[in-house]
Each structure stands twice: as structure tokens, then as C-alpha cells.
Amino acid sequence: MLIDNYEDKRLNAPNDAVVHPDGHIWFTDPGYGILFNYEGHKSAFELPTSVYRLNPDRGTITVVTEDLERPNGLCFSPNYEKLYIADTGSPKNIMVFDVVNSDRLENKKIFADMTPGTADGLRCDTDGNVWAGAGWVGEGFDGVHVFDPDGTLIGKIHLPEICANLCFGGVKRNRLFMTASQSLYSVYVEAQGAPLF
């Protein structure tokens, strides 16, 4: 285990993580694992829902934002100058921040409005497009939504289930893997996942 507390208070229920080229791990803590006994053990929150930056060498963490209701999936842009975060609270938006000096966030903006559903896991391709697992609405919405770097919806992959998470894999990073409610899907796409430094 790398870390389980912040300022002597137990983390709520960390959810998603990404690694910066400097080796620091950025992760979200929306608390879903302690809201109900369904996902974990129901318990009281000891900390605000936050996004953290972990220094794995020192075992120390800092808060990079407490300004989201339920920070969930996250990913860096291919050049690591932006961080996208799916807020599954209310309203259910994908937010984007500027990453400053590789260690803090500024200039929070709405990147994409996911109403009436929500986004969960996020990944970028080499062109800077954001791929978002989406759901909680039904046919025509559930699956994967693809946004260009300006936040314009440019495509969808329809699935018969909610898509919680996704990643690019394969030799050319052009096979999209999608975890859904009860299934794992994959499809080859004419895009390549952004390399992980």
C-alpha cells in the first residue's frame, strides 16, 4: 500500500489514478466505496471529496483540488498540460484544468456537459481527443462518447450497457477496451491511445 490517509484522516474510497512523467500519481477520491455496503463498507467521510497528487518516493500527498462534488475518472492530455476529470456529482460534467509546473491545477472549466447521464473513466488519444465511458441513461447514450480537444462531441460507440471504464491497448494502442456493467468489450479504432510517457 502506498498511502491510506491524509493529515491523519482516512481517505474515503480512492477511485481512479494516472501517473505523470515525473512519477507522481494523481488520483481521485469520490468516496463511492463507503456510501453503501454494495461497493465496500458503509462509513462516514473523514475528508472532503478531492483529487490528490502522491509522491510515491516520500509517501506524501497534496490536495490539487477540492472543488468537485464527486471527482471520478481522470486523464492527462497527451502533452500533460491539461487534466480532465469526470465529476459524477451534480452537475455531471467533464471538467478540464491547466496543469501548472507539473504540480498544481488552475483555470477550471467545463469541458463537456454529460447531461442527462454521466461520464466515468477517461482516456486521451494522440490527437488530444477525450474518450469517456458513459451511461446511466440507456439506449443511445450508454457506451463511449468521444470529444475533440475543444469539447465538441465527435462520435459515440453505443453499448447495451453502462461503460464505466476504458483503455487503449494492443501493439499499436488502437484497440479500445471497454468495461461495462457485466461485460468486457473491445473494438479496433482509427485512433491511437496517448502513450504513457
Side-chain angles (χ1 to χ4, degrees):
M1 176 172 37
L2 293 173
I3 199 90
D4 64 359
N5 68 86
Y6 174 68
E7 295 183 342
D8 297 322
K9 295 180 181 177
R10 185 196 68 219
L11 294 171
N12 301 313
N15 182 278
D16 202 353
V18 290
V19 181
H20 191 277
D22 65 10
H24 290 87
I25 301 166
W26 297 57
F27 67 94
T28 58
D29 188 18
Y32 285 118
I34 61 173
L35 284 178
F36 309 101
N37 287 320
Y38 172 73
E39 290 187 24
H41 301 288
K42 188 174 181 180
S43 184
F45 282 54
E46 294 184 21
L47 292 164
T49 56
S50 302
V51 181
Y52 295 93
R53 179 177 176 264
L54 166 67
N55 180 331
D57 295 328
R58 296 183 182 171
T60 57
I61 61 175
T62 55
V63 174
V64 291
T65 185
E66 294 178 339
D67 200 21
L68 301 172
E69 185 177 341
R70 290 273 187 253
N72 202 321
L74 75 169
C75 73
F76 286 108
S77 61
N79 60 10
Y80 292 88
E81 293 178 0
K82 297 191 179 299
L83 182 70
Y84 301 94
I85 305 172
D87 188 351
T88 48
S90 180
K92 300 177 188 315
N93 295 321
I94 300 173
M95 307 303 295
V96 62
F97 295 80
D98 292 331
V99 180
V100 180
N101 296 328
S102 301
D103 65 1
R104 69 180 191 276
L105 300 178
E106 292 183 0
N107 303 320
K108 179 182 87 167
K109 293 183 282 193
I110 295 173
F111 175 73
D113 180 350
M114 293 301 292
T115 306
T118 190
D120 196 336
L122 304 174
R123 290 294 178 266
C124 272
D125 64 26
T126 54
D127 293 324
N129 300 313
V130 177
W131 299 61
W136 294 271
V137 176
E139 186 176 344
F141 189 93
D142 293 359
V144 176
H145 294 208
V146 185
F147 301 91
D148 73 12
D150 294 325
T152 302
L153 180 66
I154 58 173
K156 288 183 183 180
I157 298 172
H158 297 287
L159 296 177
E161 307 174 70
I162 296 164
C163 180
N165 223 319
L166 66 161
C167 71
F168 290 95
V171 175
K172 297 181 179 178
R173 298 186 318 277
N174 65 338
R175 187 175 185 185
L176 186 69
F177 292 90
M178 300 159 279
T179 58
S181 300
Q182 300 179 26
S183 311
L184 173 65
Y185 297 90
S186 74
V187 63
Y188 285 97
V189 294
E190 194 54 40
Q192 288 185 297
L196 303 175
F197 59 92

